[in-house]
Amino acid sequence: MEKLLEQIQKGTVWQFPGGVHPPQQKSLSNGANIARLPLPDKLVVALKQHIGANGKLLVEKGQRVLKGQALTKPVANWSVPVHAPSSGVITEIAPKPSAHPSALPELSVVIEPDGKDEWCTLNPISEPKTLSHTELVDIIHQAGISGMGGAGFPTYIKADTKQKIDFFIVNAVECEPYITADDTLMREHAAEIIQGIELMQQLLDPTICIVGIEDNKPEAIAAMTKAAEHNNKIIVQTVPTVYPSGGEKQLIKLLTNREVPSMGIPADIGVLMHNTGTLYAVQQAVYEGKPLIERVVTVTGNTIHKPGNVWALLGTEIKHLLDCQGFSPVPQQRVVMGGPMMGFTLPTVRIGVIKTTNCILAPDHKELAEPGPEKACIRCSACADACPASLLPQQLQWFAKSKEYDKLQEHNLFDCIECGACAYVCPSEIPLVQYYRVAKVEIKEQQAEKIKADRAKERFDARKERLEREQEERKNRHKRKAPAKSDDEKQKVADALARVKNKSNDGNEKSAVAAAIARAKAKKLEGQNTEIEPDNSEVAKERALRKEQARKYKEQKELSEDATTPDDKKSAVAAAIARAKAKKAAQAQGAQTNPDDANTAPADDKKSAVAAAIARAKAKKAAQAQGAQTNPDDANTAPADDKKSAVAAAIARAKAKKAAQGAQANTDDADTAAPTDDKKAAVAAAIARAKAKKAAKAAEQPDEPSLNDKSTSNVKSEESQTDSPADDKKAAVAAAIARAKAKEAQHTEQSTEPSIDEPSIDEPQTDNVKLQEPQTDSVAENKKAAVAAAIARAKAKKAAKEAQQTQSDEDTDQVAITEPETPSEATPEQTAAEKKKAAVAAAIARAKAKKLQKEGNDQS
């Protein structure tokens, strides 16, 4: 560091890469003193004239303001206020064209000066050394001072830096052609500039201050050297005239031999830089109390008759400056804000002067020719040689045209200072700087969109997390939170566990029981505040089962209702009669049961219910078969059929009564039999039921009439049944009698063996009754019963075939008697004969049933 200071004090200057030497053209405007212009007709003061956010507007339309009065108040970081350049009335607050190549509108305050130029109250400071650091920074901030030689960086930010500053550099180079604003300012106000430097020294406390001035400004160098004689920490250093030696990074390299890192700032290497115009504004704000409301502007060019430097109030329209300096426009006149190298052409001259406006150039066509058409790059490398930032302009231009923004950033596009040296030396007249500017804007927009997207994603994730949390809270809202256990509860649990351990040492059964009770109590104490969720799975299964049973019952009911038609009413009556008979027989059997058999009563009732259900099913089946065979034309025979049905019902009741008496006798005999004999008898009874059922089915078949059918109802062949409706009714009566016989045999078997729950294999089973299989004590007995049942079934089948063959032979020999078509035509003699035949057939059927039952018992 000491060696570097020695080199700087000796006047050593280092070199930076690149650079060009364009024509200076400074003599046009630096020959006269800074002039003051008359007040313009209006002042268009833009609210944003610096880098950073706009301030909050403090005035409104129609309000009168004084010169130096604040129009805005800083409300955010990097925000500085703007002030009224002159006293007057605010006529408009609206967006106006901005001092930018795009001329995009910016909110502006339009003031109509009243000519009085009346100042607001000022607060000058005669002894700034008595001010604290914060007070001095606040004065600079409220004065609205920002960088006046570059991008307009807020001065109070630099003045309040917390980094150690070794070198404070004053940029007085003013390297761009035509511009002489800083040159004339240093000539006329060198002492004020030195006072501004001393104020910054008070704030920053740098090791040394260096004032860099190009060697083409001898008057300014002399004035600044003389003004800084009393301060040995200020060095006025002359630098060679080369463009762009006035660039921030390039001037730091020239004066200190330090290089600012890529994407870094000078403060990172202990350097801070200000422009001479900025330091003059700092001196005015502190010593005079004046805010920044005017600045020196160079107005020059071949179309200007009186080129020079003027004090321009901020907000003064460019047209007013040109008119005051004798502007003579030419066809297709161009007006440039800034110098010829880094300036930009204004789209309109109705734009107001801002804090960074240092030059207004109005050249003719010879002085600043129009650029020719862009040609293909010839790869001469002149642009790379001239670049002061050591970049590759040609490569950057290719990436910019193809919009490869990632590669642009990899090649350090943002290190470009947009000095225009590359475009100045390009033989193909490629506007390289314009490509870079567009690419920078697009990259910044992409970065801003990415930041917005990231923030939106963060908000979305936060919202999603919040919704999930609220949903979880709603689910657990009904659950109580288990509070923390108190010391007393914990002690109770510990005591219970201790009692359990003590009691478990006894080893007897009582101690084990007591220990289990203690454990249950301890567990209850531990979980008394815990929410227990009931398990409703079994309840749900039972509910589903009940629904399924109800559904099946409803389907069966609908099927039975569909099957029941008006023509089936007679069959329904017969089925009801059969059910009544079965119920009466069951009651008679229960009344005659021995009191000693009370323990078996529930089982007998259950068997009786099973038998009744089987009888109802058989009756329903017979009724359906009868309904399907009944001709709709039989409605006229209803009275005779009802009479015959009544006769058949009376006969069935007599048979049921007789069967009940026989069942009682069989029950008394069964009480003395051994358990093994009872089981055999049950098997035999089942075989008898099967035989009776087969005989009943054979009697009900119309194409094979049995002896029972003939004897009971005197029915003729199938052909005669279709011709006579009365015969169909007789067949129904015969079917009911056969069902009664089967029921009688069934009840007889149930009375003999009360413990047997299994019906015949061929008997239909209903959905509401479950039939239990007979339980045996020995596998051998089951095998014997099965063999006996098989033998009995074979004999029953053989007997049925023989009976059918005998009946067929008798039907063949008998002469068919033609019955009348309607019951009203039958004679009394025919009715008596039919009754007699029915009685004979009933007797024969009873004899056969009894014989079949005996054969089954013998086989068992």
Side-chain angles (χ1 to χ4, degrees), residues 681-712:
V683 173
I687 295 171
R689 285 198 302 274
K691 292 178 179 180
K693 183 178 179 182
K694 289 182 178 180
K697 287 184 177 180
E700 291 174 0
Q701 291 179 358
D703 53 348
E704 295 181 1
S706 64
L707 181 60
N708 295 334
D709 295 332
K710 177 182 177 183
S711 302
T712 303

PDB file of all heavy atoms in Angstrom, residues 681-712:
ATOM      1  N   ALA A 681     -84.219 -95.333  12.999  1.00  0.00           N
ATOM      2  CA  ALA A 681     -85.605 -95.002  12.675  1.00  0.00           C
ATOM      3  C   ALA A 681     -85.718 -93.675  11.959  1.00  0.00           C
ATOM      4  O   ALA A 681     -86.545 -93.494  11.054  1.00  0.00           O
ATOM      5  CB  ALA A 681     -86.443 -94.989  13.964  1.00  0.00           C
ATOM      6  N   ALA A 682     -84.876 -92.717  12.360  1.00  0.00           N
ATOM      7  CA  ALA A 682     -84.885 -91.391  11.686  1.00  0.00           C
ATOM      8  C   ALA A 682     -84.498 -91.522  10.237  1.00  0.00           C
ATOM      9  O   ALA A 682     -85.085 -90.905   9.344  1.00  0.00           O
ATOM     10  CB  ALA A 682     -83.944 -90.441  12.414  1.00  0.00           C
ATOM     11  N   VAL A 683     -83.482 -92.374   9.989  1.00  0.00           N
ATOM     12  CA  VAL A 683     -83.071 -92.589   8.587  1.00  0.00           C
ATOM     13  C   VAL A 683     -84.191 -93.227   7.802  1.00  0.00           C
ATOM     14  O   VAL A 683     -84.499 -92.850   6.672  1.00  0.00           O
ATOM     15  CB  VAL A 683     -81.788 -93.447   8.537  1.00  0.00           C
ATOM     16  CG1 VAL A 683     -81.449 -93.819   7.104  1.00  0.00           C
ATOM     17  CG2 VAL A 683     -80.639 -92.716   9.207  1.00  0.00           C
ATOM     18  N   ALA A 684     -84.861 -94.210   8.429  1.00  0.00           N
ATOM     19  CA  ALA A 684     -85.960 -94.863   7.742  1.00  0.00           C
ATOM     20  C   ALA A 684     -87.102 -93.895   7.465  1.00  0.00           C
ATOM     21  O   ALA A 684     -87.733 -93.936   6.409  1.00  0.00           O
ATOM     22  CB  ALA A 684     -86.474 -96.042   8.601  1.00  0.00           C
ATOM     23  N   ALA A 685     -87.362 -93.018   8.428  1.00  0.00           N
ATOM     24  CA  ALA A 685     -88.417 -92.020   8.211  1.00  0.00           C
ATOM     25  C   ALA A 685     -88.086 -91.116   7.044  1.00  0.00           C
ATOM     26  O   ALA A 685     -88.951 -90.740   6.255  1.00  0.00           O
ATOM     27  CB  ALA A 685     -88.613 -91.202   9.496  1.00  0.00           C
ATOM     28  N   ALA A 686     -86.830 -90.723   6.948  1.00  0.00           N
ATOM     29  CA  ALA A 686     -86.413 -89.871   5.814  1.00  0.00           C
ATOM     30  C   ALA A 686     -86.632 -90.592   4.498  1.00  0.00           C
ATOM     31  O   ALA A 686     -87.065 -90.004   3.506  1.00  0.00           O
ATOM     32  CB  ALA A 686     -84.943 -89.477   5.982  1.00  0.00           C
ATOM     33  N   ILE A 687     -86.304 -91.896   4.484  1.00  0.00           N
ATOM     34  CA  ILE A 687     -86.516 -92.685   3.260  1.00  0.00           C
ATOM     35  C   ILE A 687     -88.005 -92.750   2.927  1.00  0.00           C
ATOM     36  O   ILE A 687     -88.424 -92.604   1.772  1.00  0.00           O
ATOM     37  CB  ILE A 687     -85.949 -94.104   3.456  1.00  0.00           C
ATOM     38  CG1 ILE A 687     -84.426 -94.016   3.627  1.00  0.00           C
ATOM     39  CG2 ILE A 687     -86.309 -95.001   2.272  1.00  0.00           C
ATOM     40  CD1 ILE A 687     -83.784 -95.317   4.050  1.00  0.00           C
ATOM     41  N   ALA A 688     -88.841 -92.910   3.970  1.00  0.00           N
ATOM     42  CA  ALA A 688     -90.278 -92.966   3.724  1.00  0.00           C
ATOM     43  C   ALA A 688     -90.794 -91.659   3.163  1.00  0.00           C
ATOM     44  O   ALA A 688     -91.648 -91.652   2.269  1.00  0.00           O
ATOM     45  CB  ALA A 688     -91.009 -93.318   5.030  1.00  0.00           C
ATOM     46  N   ARG A 689     -90.269 -90.546   3.697  1.00  0.00           N
ATOM     47  CA  ARG A 689     -90.698 -89.232   3.170  1.00  0.00           C
ATOM     48  C   ARG A 689     -90.339 -89.095   1.698  1.00  0.00           C
ATOM     49  O   ARG A 689     -91.093 -88.563   0.895  1.00  0.00           O
ATOM     50  CB  ARG A 689     -90.049 -88.103   3.975  1.00  0.00           C
ATOM     51  CG  ARG A 689     -90.658 -87.906   5.347  1.00  0.00           C
ATOM     52  CD  ARG A 689     -90.296 -86.539   5.901  1.00  0.00           C
ATOM     53  NE  ARG A 689     -88.852 -86.345   5.980  1.00  0.00           N
ATOM     54  CZ  ARG A 689     -88.095 -86.727   7.029  1.00  0.00           C
ATOM     55  NH1 ARG A 689     -88.673 -87.363   8.058  1.00  0.00           N
ATOM     56  NH2 ARG A 689     -86.810 -86.493   7.034  1.00  0.00           N
ATOM     57  N   ALA A 690     -89.128 -89.556   1.335  1.00  0.00           N
ATOM     58  CA  ALA A 690     -88.724 -89.484  -0.071  1.00  0.00           C
ATOM     59  C   ALA A 690     -89.653 -90.305  -0.958  1.00  0.00           C
ATOM     60  O   ALA A 690     -90.052 -89.880  -2.049  1.00  0.00           O
ATOM     61  CB  ALA A 690     -87.290 -89.969  -0.203  1.00  0.00           C
ATOM     62  N   LYS A 691     -90.017 -91.535  -0.470  1.00  0.00           N
ATOM     63  CA  LYS A 691     -90.913 -92.373  -1.263  1.00  0.00           C
ATOM     64  C   LYS A 691     -92.283 -91.716  -1.428  1.00  0.00           C
ATOM     65  O   LYS A 691     -92.861 -91.684  -2.510  1.00  0.00           O
ATOM     66  CB  LYS A 691     -91.084 -93.729  -0.595  1.00  0.00           C
ATOM     67  CG  LYS A 691     -89.824 -94.591  -0.604  1.00  0.00           C
ATOM     68  CD  LYS A 691     -90.061 -95.903   0.118  1.00  0.00           C
ATOM     69  CE  LYS A 691     -88.817 -96.784   0.091  1.00  0.00           C
ATOM     70  NZ  LYS A 691     -89.028 -98.063   0.791  1.00  0.00           N
ATOM     71  N   ALA A 692     -92.793 -91.143  -0.315  1.00  0.00           N
ATOM     72  CA  ALA A 692     -94.105 -90.488  -0.397  1.00  0.00           C
ATOM     73  C   ALA A 692     -94.073 -89.308  -1.344  1.00  0.00           C
ATOM     74  O   ALA A 692     -95.012 -89.074  -2.104  1.00  0.00           O
ATOM     75  CB  ALA A 692     -94.533 -90.040   0.998  1.00  0.00           C
ATOM     76  N   LYS A 693     -92.966 -88.572  -1.303  1.00  0.00           N
ATOM     77  CA  LYS A 693     -92.871 -87.404  -2.188  1.00  0.00           C
ATOM     78  C   LYS A 693     -92.852 -87.825  -3.654  1.00  0.00           C
ATOM     79  O   LYS A 693     -93.472 -87.198  -4.514  1.00  0.00           O
ATOM     80  CB  LYS A 693     -91.608 -86.616  -1.849  1.00  0.00           C
ATOM     81  CG  LYS A 693     -91.452 -85.351  -2.666  1.00  0.00           C
ATOM     82  CD  LYS A 693     -90.215 -84.598  -2.256  1.00  0.00           C
ATOM     83  CE  LYS A 693     -90.080 -83.354  -3.101  1.00  0.00           C
ATOM     84  NZ  LYS A 693     -88.849 -82.606  -2.765  1.00  0.00           N
ATOM     85  N   LYS A 694     -92.097 -88.886  -3.968  1.00  0.00           N
ATOM     86  CA  LYS A 694     -92.048 -89.356  -5.356  1.00  0.00           C
ATOM     87  C   LYS A 694     -93.426 -89.821  -5.808  1.00  0.00           C
ATOM     88  O   LYS A 694     -93.849 -89.577  -6.931  1.00  0.00           O
ATOM     89  CB  LYS A 694     -91.043 -90.497  -5.483  1.00  0.00           C
ATOM     90  CG  LYS A 694     -89.604 -90.039  -5.343  1.00  0.00           C
ATOM     91  CD  LYS A 694     -88.625 -91.198  -5.531  1.00  0.00           C
ATOM     92  CE  LYS A 694     -87.199 -90.706  -5.426  1.00  0.00           C
ATOM     93  NZ  LYS A 694     -86.217 -91.793  -5.607  1.00  0.00           N
ATOM     94  N   ALA A 695     -94.139 -90.502  -4.895  1.00  0.00           N
ATOM     95  CA  ALA A 695     -95.481 -90.952  -5.252  1.00  0.00           C
ATOM     96  C   ALA A 695     -96.406 -89.778  -5.512  1.00  0.00           C
ATOM     97  O   ALA A 695     -97.213 -89.771  -6.448  1.00  0.00           O
ATOM     98  CB  ALA A 695     -96.055 -91.836  -4.130  1.00  0.00           C
ATOM     99  N   ALA A 696     -96.248 -88.706  -4.710  1.00  0.00           N
ATOM    100  CA  ALA A 696     -97.081 -87.511  -4.910  1.00  0.00           C
ATOM    101  C   ALA A 696     -96.765 -86.843  -6.233  1.00  0.00           C
ATOM    102  O   ALA A 696     -97.641 -86.375  -6.945  1.00  0.00           O
ATOM    103  CB  ALA A 696     -96.870 -86.548  -3.745  1.00  0.00           C
ATOM    104  N   LYS A 697     -95.459 -86.764  -6.550  1.00  0.00           N
ATOM    105  CA  LYS A 697     -95.087 -86.148  -7.835  1.00  0.00           C
ATOM    106  C   LYS A 697     -95.633 -86.938  -8.992  1.00  0.00           C
ATOM    107  O   LYS A 697     -96.107 -86.380  -9.978  1.00  0.00           O
ATOM    108  CB  LYS A 697     -93.557 -86.052  -7.942  1.00  0.00           C
ATOM    109  CG  LYS A 697     -92.959 -84.984  -7.050  1.00  0.00           C
ATOM    110  CD  LYS A 697     -91.459 -84.865  -7.278  1.00  0.00           C
ATOM    111  CE  LYS A 697     -90.872 -83.752  -6.430  1.00  0.00           C
ATOM    112  NZ  LYS A 697     -89.419 -83.633  -6.643  1.00  0.00           N
ATOM    113  N   ALA A 698     -95.572 -88.262  -8.905  1.00  0.00           N
ATOM    114  CA  ALA A 698     -96.121 -89.090  -9.985  1.00  0.00           C
ATOM    115  C   ALA A 698     -97.615 -88.890 -10.127  1.00  0.00           C
ATOM    116  O   ALA A 698     -98.162 -88.890 -11.230  1.00  0.00           O
ATOM    117  CB  ALA A 698     -95.812 -90.585  -9.712  1.00  0.00           C
ATOM    118  N   ALA A 699     -98.308 -88.662  -8.981  1.00  0.00           N
ATOM    119  CA  ALA A 699     -99.754 -88.433  -9.047  1.00  0.00           C
ATOM    120  C   ALA A 699    -100.074 -87.090  -9.663  1.00  0.00           C
ATOM    121  O   ALA A 699    -101.103 -86.920 -10.309  1.00  0.00           O
ATOM    122  CB  ALA A 699    -100.367 -88.531  -7.643  1.00  0.00           C
ATOM    123  N   GLU A 700     -99.172 -86.092  -9.473  1.00  0.00           N
ATOM    124  CA  GLU A 700     -99.449 -84.729  -9.972  1.00  0.00           C
ATOM    125  C   GLU A 700     -99.134 -84.584 -11.449  1.00  0.00           C
ATOM    126  O   GLU A 700     -99.589 -83.647 -12.085  1.00  0.00           O
ATOM    127  CB  GLU A 700     -98.642 -83.704  -9.168  1.00  0.00           C
ATOM    128  CG  GLU A 700     -99.116 -83.574  -7.738  1.00  0.00           C
ATOM    129  CD  GLU A 700     -98.208 -82.671  -6.937  1.00  0.00           C
ATOM    130  OE1 GLU A 700     -97.223 -82.172  -7.533  1.00  0.00           O
ATOM    131  OE2 GLU A 700     -98.480 -82.449  -5.758  1.00  0.00           O
ATOM    132  N   GLN A 701     -98.328 -85.486 -12.045  1.00  0.00           N
ATOM    133  CA  GLN A 701     -97.955 -85.347 -13.449  1.00  0.00           C
ATOM    134  C   GLN A 701     -99.151 -85.676 -14.324  1.00  0.00           C
ATOM    135  O   GLN A 701     -99.768 -86.729 -14.218  1.00  0.00           O
ATOM    136  CB  GLN A 701     -96.805 -86.295 -13.796  1.00  0.00           C
ATOM    137  CG  GLN A 701     -95.493 -85.893 -13.118  1.00  0.00           C
ATOM    138  CD  GLN A 701     -94.373 -86.844 -13.450  1.00  0.00           C
ATOM    139  OE1 GLN A 701     -94.621 -87.836 -14.165  1.00  0.00           O
ATOM    140  NE2 GLN A 701     -93.197 -86.563 -12.945  1.00  0.00           N
ATOM    141  N   PRO A 702     -99.482 -84.753 -15.254  1.00  0.00           N
ATOM    142  CA  PRO A 702    -100.670 -84.981 -16.078  1.00  0.00           C
ATOM    143  C   PRO A 702    -100.497 -86.060 -17.118  1.00  0.00           C
ATOM    144  O   PRO A 702    -101.438 -86.732 -17.509  1.00  0.00           O
ATOM    145  CB  PRO A 702    -100.911 -83.612 -16.730  1.00  0.00           C
ATOM    146  CG  PRO A 702     -99.571 -82.964 -16.733  1.00  0.00           C
ATOM    147  CD  PRO A 702     -98.877 -83.462 -15.507  1.00  0.00           C
ATOM    148  N   ASP A 703     -99.242 -86.276 -17.594  1.00  0.00           N
ATOM    149  CA  ASP A 703     -99.060 -87.227 -18.671  1.00  0.00           C
ATOM    150  C   ASP A 703     -98.933 -88.658 -18.165  1.00  0.00           C
ATOM    151  O   ASP A 703     -99.047 -89.602 -18.929  1.00  0.00           O
ATOM    152  CB  ASP A 703     -97.842 -86.880 -19.519  1.00  0.00           C
ATOM    153  CG  ASP A 703     -96.620 -86.723 -18.641  1.00  0.00           C
ATOM    154  OD1 ASP A 703     -96.806 -86.652 -17.407  1.00  0.00           O
ATOM    155  OD2 ASP A 703     -95.502 -86.659 -19.192  1.00  0.00           O
ATOM    156  N   GLU A 704     -98.675 -88.864 -16.808  1.00  0.00           N
ATOM    157  CA  GLU A 704     -98.582 -90.194 -16.241  1.00  0.00           C
ATOM    158  C   GLU A 704     -99.485 -90.277 -15.021  1.00  0.00           C
ATOM    159  O   GLU A 704     -99.024 -90.176 -13.872  1.00  0.00           O
ATOM    160  CB  GLU A 704     -97.125 -90.512 -15.869  1.00  0.00           C
ATOM    161  CG  GLU A 704     -96.207 -90.586 -17.070  1.00  0.00           C
ATOM    162  CD  GLU A 704     -94.804 -90.917 -16.644  1.00  0.00           C
ATOM    163  OE1 GLU A 704     -94.592 -91.101 -15.435  1.00  0.00           O
ATOM    164  OE2 GLU A 704     -93.931 -90.996 -17.505  1.00  0.00           O
ATOM    165  N   PRO A 705    -100.735 -90.342 -15.151  1.00  0.00           N
ATOM    166  CA  PRO A 705    -101.640 -90.386 -13.997  1.00  0.00           C
ATOM    167  C   PRO A 705    -101.458 -91.669 -13.214  1.00  0.00           C
ATOM    168  O   PRO A 705    -101.355 -92.746 -13.765  1.00  0.00           O
ATOM    169  CB  PRO A 705    -103.031 -90.293 -14.620  1.00  0.00           C
ATOM    170  CG  PRO A 705    -102.860 -90.822 -15.997  1.00  0.00           C
ATOM    171  CD  PRO A 705    -101.474 -90.466 -16.440  1.00  0.00           C
ATOM    172  N   SER A 706    -101.360 -91.512 -11.907  1.00  0.00           N
ATOM    173  CA  SER A 706    -101.167 -92.656 -11.020  1.00  0.00           C
ATOM    174  C   SER A 706    -102.511 -93.151 -10.508  1.00  0.00           C
ATOM    175  O   SER A 706    -103.558 -92.572 -10.777  1.00  0.00           O
ATOM    176  CB  SER A 706    -100.255 -92.247  -9.847  1.00  0.00           C
ATOM    177  OG  SER A 706    -100.892 -91.262  -9.095  1.00  0.00           O
ATOM    178  N   LEU A 707    -102.400 -94.229  -9.709  1.00  0.00           N
ATOM    179  CA  LEU A 707    -103.601 -94.798  -9.143  1.00  0.00           C
ATOM    180  C   LEU A 707    -104.268 -93.847  -8.169  1.00  0.00           C
ATOM    181  O   LEU A 707    -105.484 -93.751  -8.103  1.00  0.00           O
ATOM    182  CB  LEU A 707    -103.261 -96.131  -8.429  1.00  0.00           C
ATOM    183  CG  LEU A 707    -104.423 -96.887  -7.787  1.00  0.00           C
ATOM    184  CD1 LEU A 707    -105.456 -97.262  -8.844  1.00  0.00           C
ATOM    185  CD2 LEU A 707    -103.907 -98.129  -7.063  1.00  0.00           C
ATOM    186  N   ASN A 708    -103.456 -93.110  -7.438  1.00  0.00           N
ATOM    187  CA  ASN A 708    -104.019 -92.177  -6.478  1.00  0.00           C
ATOM    188  C   ASN A 708    -104.817 -91.089  -7.166  1.00  0.00           C
ATOM    189  O   ASN A 708    -105.861 -90.670  -6.703  1.00  0.00           O
ATOM    190  CB  ASN A 708    -102.900 -91.547  -5.635  1.00  0.00           C
ATOM    191  CG  ASN A 708    -102.209 -92.598  -4.787  1.00  0.00           C
ATOM    192  OD1 ASN A 708    -102.817 -93.602  -4.468  1.00  0.00           O
ATOM    193  ND2 ASN A 708    -100.943 -92.343  -4.447  1.00  0.00           N
ATOM    194  N   ASP A 709    -104.263 -90.574  -8.265  1.00  0.00           N
ATOM    195  CA  ASP A 709    -104.963 -89.515  -8.987  1.00  0.00           C
ATOM    196  C   ASP A 709    -106.300 -90.033  -9.496  1.00  0.00           C
ATOM    197  O   ASP A 709    -107.321 -89.345  -9.470  1.00  0.00           O
ATOM    198  CB  ASP A 709    -104.124 -89.000 -10.149  1.00  0.00           C
ATOM    199  CG  ASP A 709    -102.866 -88.320  -9.637  1.00  0.00           C
ATOM    200  OD1 ASP A 709    -102.908 -87.797  -8.484  1.00  0.00           O
ATOM    201  OD2 ASP A 709    -101.866 -88.306 -10.374  1.00  0.00           O
ATOM    202  N   LYS A 710    -106.303 -91.264  -9.984  1.00  0.00           N
ATOM    203  CA  LYS A 710    -107.540 -91.821 -10.554  1.00  0.00           C
ATOM    204  C   LYS A 710    -108.554 -92.093  -9.455  1.00  0.00           C
ATOM    205  O   LYS A 710    -109.736 -91.804  -9.597  1.00  0.00           O
ATOM    206  CB  LYS A 710    -107.212 -93.096 -11.338  1.00  0.00           C
ATOM    207  CG  LYS A 710    -108.444 -93.783 -11.915  1.00  0.00           C
ATOM    208  CD  LYS A 710    -108.059 -95.047 -12.629  1.00  0.00           C
ATOM    209  CE  LYS A 710    -109.306 -95.754 -13.131  1.00  0.00           C
ATOM    210  NZ  LYS A 710    -109.009 -97.054 -13.788  1.00  0.00           N
ATOM    211  N   SER A 711    -108.098 -92.644  -8.366  1.00  0.00           N
ATOM    212  CA  SER A 711    -109.026 -93.036  -7.313  1.00  0.00           C
ATOM    213  C   SER A 711    -109.606 -91.851  -6.601  1.00  0.00           C
ATOM    214  O   SER A 711    -110.735 -91.868  -6.164  1.00  0.00           O
ATOM    215  CB  SER A 711    -108.287 -93.940  -6.306  1.00  0.00           C
ATOM    216  OG  SER A 711    -107.765 -95.058  -6.963  1.00  0.00           O
ATOM    217  N   THR A 712    -108.829 -90.792  -6.465  1.00  0.00           N
ATOM    218  CA  THR A 712    -109.275 -89.648  -5.686  1.00  0.00           C
ATOM    219  C   THR A 712    -110.245 -88.781  -6.447  1.00  0.00           C
ATOM    220  O   THR A 712    -111.293 -88.377  -5.956  1.00  0.00           O
ATOM    221  CB  THR A 712    -108.058 -88.818  -5.253  1.00  0.00           C
ATOM    222  OG1 THR A 712    -107.182 -89.668  -4.529  1.00  0.00           O
ATOM    223  CG2 THR A 712    -108.486 -87.664  -4.342  1.00  0.00           C
TER     224      THR A 712
END
